[in-house]
Amino acid sequence: RELTRCAPLVFAGEVRELHDHLSKACMGQGFLLMGGDCAESFDDFNVDRVRDSFRIILQMALTMTYGSGKPIIKVGRMAGQFAKPRSSGIETIDGVSLPSYRGDNVNGAAFTEEARTPDPNRMMRAYHQCAQTLNILRAFAVGGYADISRLHAWNLDFVEQTKQGSNYRAFSTKVDESLRFMKAIGVDTSGPKFRTTEFYTAHECLLLPYEQALTRQDSTTGRWYDCSAHMLWVGERTRQLDNAHLEFVRGIGNPLGVKVSDKCAPEDLITMLDLLNPSNAPGRVTIIVRMGAEKLRAHLPSLITEVQRAGRNVLWISDPVHGNTRTAADGITKTRDFGKIREELRAFFDVHDALGTHAGGVHLEMTGDDVTECVGGEVSGITDDDLSKNYKSHCDPRLNGQQALEIAFLIAARMRRSEGLPPLDFDDWAECDPLDSQCTPNNMPLP
């Protein structure tokens, strides 16, 4: 009851703007970048963390925009990612069994009976933190921080010391030259298109009482919108056709995401699309693919082919992180290998290139913090032995800022190749990259 009296966190007009962008991406005229925390936390909330995650997404988006020539739609896993699905409802440690941690808007991460007891008042705390986060994001997006002329000011420390840093500096110089040229021919680069950016939020639609309480009817159209976020997605564990989650989201006007693994049958996907998008509107449904590289090559083609045969409009994006979780050498810590993430991205682009369809985006669990939670990457060089140095996640491991920007460079180069564009004239970008299906990092042809 208290939540239903609270102001909406986002507004119907903003949601419709995102839908318009996604509809263009669905037609091959854009690319969706979704990134942010595995699970937001009450204790870790501060302005600097929000700023750093916003900044790395800006850097990634501009890198991919410049490399591909396509608009990049920026969506943060922020301001609402507080509920987490778990494989088991019970966690047992040293013979003691307690309810699993389900996210800060349900219970606490500490392994105590008090912390693990669900508390509905946590939903109110989540709401107020979301409101603060959105205020911060809106201020950064329109208050001058996102000014493209500040490209160099967004630099992270590692940018000054690495190959990716060399690429980023070269790219920044090219953008500066372009801005000077536009000014010289009379283009006003002080306007909102250059000084502001559009930034949207999304989270998993998991805790239905929270989502229902924040659903509002739009006064201008009469449609219902879940005003907790611009976009909601349904996870692999809750996308079953008889589950309440699909029943809820089919009635709201927000753009929807659905995560699918190799367990999703083509006929079930079509039935789901008919349920969620009976009018077949472009941009309404985004399919978030999480399979692992080998399973993706085996299972994704049949899903795409069936969707094409049925004439359904969907945006396909890759979630290369979730399907590549493993236990580290200590037998306890969860981690993810950068190399596996890269391989799944490569497989995703390969499949779409082979079928002539649009690889429309990427979904990453990532943070602007300098965490040590995922191993590998040319820049970070993190190993299993390094995980304990700065492992902060309460749930799943995240890419740090270095690893996330490295992914952006790889995607930008691969998108150029997929579009048939020549390599950029940066020495490092012009080399054969690990997302190119025709090359390996040492430029040797693949079998």
Side-chain angles (χ1 to χ4, degrees):
R1 286 195 299 271
E2 192 170 346
L3 273 173
T4 60
R5 293 194 292 265
C6 290
L9 292 169
V10 304
F11 300 95
E14 298 171 341
V15 174
R16 287 192 288 269
E17 287 175 0
L18 174 59
H19 193 164
D20 289 343
H21 292 313
L22 293 174
S23 67
K24 293 175 183 176
C26 187
M27 298 297 138
Q29 300 168 18
F31 191 87
L32 172 59
L33 170 61
M34 295 182 69
D37 268 317
C38 159
E40 291 178 280
S41 165
F42 295 157
D43 293 338
D44 293 339
F45 173 71
N46 62 66
V47 174
D48 289 349
R49 293 191 74 244
V50 176
R51 179 204 61 207
D52 290 346
S53 292
F54 177 77
R55 173 175 60 178
I56 196 67
I57 291 174
L58 282 185
Q59 288 180 307
M60 295 173 71
L62 276 172
T63 298
M64 290 190 282
T65 299
Y66 194 84
S68 68
K70 286 186 178 296
I72 306 299
I73 306 160
K74 298 175 287 297
V75 177
R77 287 175 54 116
M78 302 177 187
Q81 188 59 17
F82 283 104
K84 293 296 294 181
R86 307 314 300 264
S87 300
S88 172
I90 298 295
E91 182 180 1
T92 301
I93 299 178
D94 296 331
V96 178
S97 296
L98 293 173
S100 295
Y101 170 60
R102 293 186 173 274
D104 273 15
N105 64 352
V106 177
N107 57 6
F111 194 73
T112 65
E113 184 174 359
E114 181 181 11
R116 293 297 176 90
T117 300
D119 178 4
N121 289 305
R122 285 177 168 270
M123 290 192 289
M124 291 306 305
R125 187 172 177 185
Y127 169 85
H128 290 299
Q129 183 168 315
C130 289
Q132 293 181 69
T133 302
L134 282 161
N135 282 339
I136 295 166
L137 290 172
R138 288 185 172 113
F140 284 138
V142 303
Y145 186 86
D147 191 330
I148 196 170
S149 65
R150 289 177 46 86
L151 193 60
H152 291 287
W154 300 338
N155 283 4
L156 303 174
D157 291 340
F158 79 91
V159 167
E160 300 301 322
Q161 308 163 6
T162 64
K163 172 184 172 182
Q164 300 301 335
S166 175
N167 286 338
Y168 188 83
R169 286 194 300 276
F171 150 64
S172 301
T173 300
K174 290 286 186 181
V175 173
D176 284 343
E177 291 173 355
S178 299
L179 289 173
R180 285 198 298 272
F181 173 76
M182 284 188 282
K183 288 179 182 178
I185 63 173
V187 176
D188 182 8
T189 59
S190 64
K193 286 291 184 182
F194 295 89
R195 299 193 67 253
T196 66
T197 191
E198 294 173 324
F199 193 88
Y200 303 97
T201 61
H203 62 258
E204 181 173 0
C205 180
L206 187 62
L207 187 60
L208 292 182
Y210 179 84
E211 305 300 341
Q212 178 177 319
L214 288 170
T215 298
R216 305 284 191 268
Q217 188 172 24
D218 178 32
S219 59
T220 60
T221 65
R223 297 194 67 187
W224 292 86
Y225 291 91
D226 184 345
C227 296
S228 69
H230 300 101
M231 180 179 185
L232 285 299
W233 77 80
V234 177
E236 169 71 12
R237 293 181 178 91
T238 52
R239 63 167 176 78
Q240 288 68 34
L241 296 174
D242 59 350
N243 269 12
H245 294 79
L246 287 187
E247 178 65 18
F248 172 77
V249 297
R250 77 183 183 93
I252 59 176
N254 306 62
L256 305 175
V258 180
K259 289 206 174 187
V260 300
S261 72
D262 58 295
K263 299 180 179 68
C264 182
E267 57 272 18
D268 289 342
L269 181 56
I270 298 301
T271 303
M272 188 189 313
L273 292 175
D274 288 342
L275 178 73
L276 298 180
N277 191 17
S279 64
N280 200 25
R284 163 69 169 170
V285 178
T286 296
I287 303 299
I288 307 169
V289 180
R290 45 158 296 183
M291 295 184 182
E294 294 307 317
K295 290 182 178 179
L296 186 146
R297 291 184 188 276
H299 294 277
L300 182 57
S302 62
L303 295 179
I304 295 176
T305 300
E306 183 63 18
V307 168
Q308 284 184 303
R309 185 200 64 76
R312 300 298 189 271
N313 291 311
V314 303
L315 179 64
W316 297 96
I317 76 170
S318 171
D319 175 0
V321 176
H322 275 94
N324 294 296
T325 306
R326 66 170 175 85
T327 303
D330 62 8
I332 301 172
T333 307
K334 287 194 294 185
T335 189
R336 287 154 173 165
D337 289 300
F338 187 91
K340 293 288 186 182
I341 293 169
R342 185 183 61 207
E343 286 302 315
E344 182 161 351
L345 274 171
R346 176 198 283 186
F348 180 75
F349 277 95
D350 285 352
V351 168
H352 281 284
D353 283 353
L355 296 176
T357 50
H358 178 49
V362 65
H363 178 117
L364 300 170
E365 287 191 345
M366 49 166 279
T367 176
D369 288 355
D370 189 23
V371 297
T372 55
E373 297 172 2
C374 295
V375 301
E378 181 180 340
V379 178
S380 70
I382 297 170
T383 68
D384 279 27
D385 293 336
D386 299 317
L387 293 175
S388 61
K389 291 180 180 178
N390 199 24
Y391 198 107
K392 295 182 177 180
S393 176
H394 293 297
C395 196
D396 292 330
R398 303 159 295 175
L399 297 168
N400 60 30
Q402 303 174 22
Q403 293 164 326
L405 188 57
E406 188 169 343
I407 289 286
F409 276 109
L410 295 174
I411 290 175
R414 178 59 191 262
M415 287 170 72
R416 291 189 71 80
R417 291 179 172 89
S418 295
E419 294 291 325
L421 299 173
L424 290 169
D425 57 350
F426 307 157
D427 290 342
D428 292 330
W429 277 24
E431 294 176 1
C432 200
D433 73 90
L435 289 193
D436 191 335
S437 59
Q438 302 303 313
C439 304
T440 57
N442 61 0
N443 293 338
M444 294 295 291
L446 284 174

